[in-house]
Amino acid sequence: MDAYGPGREHSAEREVSVPSRWGPASGELPSSLTELAGPTCGLVDLPLHLAWSGLRTFDLGDDKLLLGMYRIVLAAGLREDYVQFLDGGLLVAHWPRLRKMVGRGVRAAWEDAFPLLRPRTGRAAS
């Protein structure tokens, strides 16, 4: 019996990263951020399968509402929802704030798939 108990592995022995059950499956993400061709302005009505409780209409001119809509779509959406409701440029521009609003599984899935979304570490050489 291992000091960690039966069936437990040491963290150093684990080699396979298991995707989070709280994040999207890798096949659900678009292959490129350019596929995200959602609206960039105006009012957007989310369907009931995404916004089933509370606010369903979002004014993209209001950053707070835009961030709320993106959080909902990122957390509950599927590939067709990402493509229809998210815009790649807006996602990149707002990701530093969005990444703090979504769960770890969602954040990891999107940052693993799109390195551009990963936070920059360190400073550029001068």
Side-chain angles (χ1 to χ4, degrees):
M1 179 180 309
D2 190 334
Y4 293 96
R8 299 233 177 168
E9 298 176 337
H10 297 275
S11 60
E13 293 174 358
R14 282 188 227 139
E15 294 185 21
V16 177
S17 172
V18 178
S20 169
R21 64 188 253 186
W22 302 113
S26 60
E28 287 295 323
L29 295 178
S31 57
S32 166
L33 292 174
T34 59
E35 284 184 50
L36 303 178
T40 58
C41 61
L43 297 177
V44 176
D45 292 318
L46 289 182
L48 281 173
H49 74 273
L50 291 175
W52 46 269
S53 174
L55 188 63
R56 289 191 50 220
T57 301
F58 298 85
D59 181 354
L60 299 185
D62 181 327
D63 275 357
K64 193 180 286 187
L65 292 176
L66 180 140
L67 290 169
M69 185 191 92
Y70 271 53
R71 183 186 57 78
I72 290 169
V73 175
L74 288 166
L78 299 173
R79 182 185 190 94
E80 49 273 3
D81 300 314
Y82 303 144
V83 171
Q84 182 177 357
F85 296 109
L86 303 179
D87 174 77
L90 287 177
L91 181 67
V92 170
H94 290 281
W95 188 253
R97 289 173 57 196
L98 279 166
R99 72 182 309 274
K100 297 172 187 171
M101 298 171 66
V102 297
R104 184 178 309 160
V106 172
R107 180 174 53 248
W110 282 84
E111 290 180 354
D112 287 350
F114 305 107
L116 178 63
L117 297 177
R118 293 179 190 152
R120 292 183 179 93
T121 56
R123 293 185 179 182
S126 306

